[in-house]
Amino acid sequence: MRLVEGDARIEDIDAVVAALGDIADEHETTVQAFDARYVVDRLHLERAVELADRAISRGENVARDRAVEVLLYAAGRRQIDQAFEMGLREGLVSLVVLVDGGAEAVAVDAVADELNLDETPTLGEYDRDRLFEFFDVTELELAATEGTLSDTVHERVALLDVEK
């Protein structure tokens, strides 16, 4: 799994999604873009890929597309329309783009070129308040554990399997 990070100006979400899909098809890889404000760290996405692959291998996947299944796990949601909140949006966006499998190295370059990424680091630049709301975390819950917000988000990703 490789991650491409940076800021990009998104004017047409459908066109960008189609272009990323073409890159994925051409290089036989999975490409999924995330709004960096929702991604706590690399482990967040690694775990989402691992759990999505396990669901697919067991025939328990919700989405037909591996990239969307990864998005569902990263979001900790079974509803695709709700998970899309942590995907692309229009305007200037800080992105983390996951590229996994196939010709990853070539696909990473193609993604960076397609999105015209400035390739500034974005991973770990999450929006704490946004994560609290999106993953339904409370200060009380966080204070009651020895874990961090990252640990709690990782738990939400893993709990998607339990909720099935």
Side-chain angles (χ1 to χ4, degrees):
M1 179 183 91
R2 295 181 189 222
L3 301 177
V4 185
E5 304 173 59
D7 294 330
R9 179 153 306 279
I10 307 295
E11 294 181 17
D12 183 344
I13 293 173
D14 292 336
V16 171
V17 169
L20 294 179
D22 290 345
I23 291 169
D25 291 344
E26 180 180 344
H27 301 290
E28 298 178 350
T29 188
T30 296
V31 177
Q32 180 61 58
F34 297 91
D35 182 330
R37 300 174 301 170
Y38 292 88
V39 180
V40 291
D41 54 21
R42 181 180 181 88
L43 183 58
H44 180 177
L45 298 180
E46 287 174 346
R47 189 73 173 132
V49 168
E50 175 186 328
L51 293 169
D53 286 345
R54 185 172 74 185
I56 291 166
S57 72
R58 293 177 174 175
E60 298 171 350
N61 48 304
V62 172
R64 285 183 235 119
D65 182 78
R66 182 176 182 244
V68 176
E69 191 73 13
V70 170
L71 176 65
L72 289 169
Y73 274 94
R77 302 226 175 1
R78 294 183 50 75
Q79 298 297 319
I80 293 171
D81 59 334
Q82 292 173 359
F84 280 150
E85 183 177 332
M86 75 180 297
L88 294 173
R89 63 183 170 83
E90 291 181 350
L92 184 61
V93 185
S94 292
L95 297 174
V96 177
V97 184
L98 177 144
V99 179
D100 187 62
E104 287 177 2
V106 179
V108 162
D109 291 339
V111 166
D113 289 345
E114 176 62 38
L115 294 173
N116 196 26
L117 283 176
D118 66 7
E119 298 191 50
T120 58
T122 60
L123 195 60
E125 299 296 320
Y126 59 82
D127 180 322
R128 181 180 169 86
D129 292 336
R130 186 174 304 277
L131 287 178
F132 266 69
E133 183 179 334
F134 186 73
F135 288 100
D136 196 27
V137 178
T138 65
E139 288 289 353
L140 185 61
E141 175 186 11
L142 204 54
T145 68
E146 293 183 20
T148 63
L149 179 56
S150 294
D151 295 330
T152 304
V153 170
H154 297 159
E155 180 181 82
R156 296 295 198 272
V157 170
L159 284 175
L160 186 60
D161 268 345
V162 174
E163 294 174 359
K164 285 184 177 178

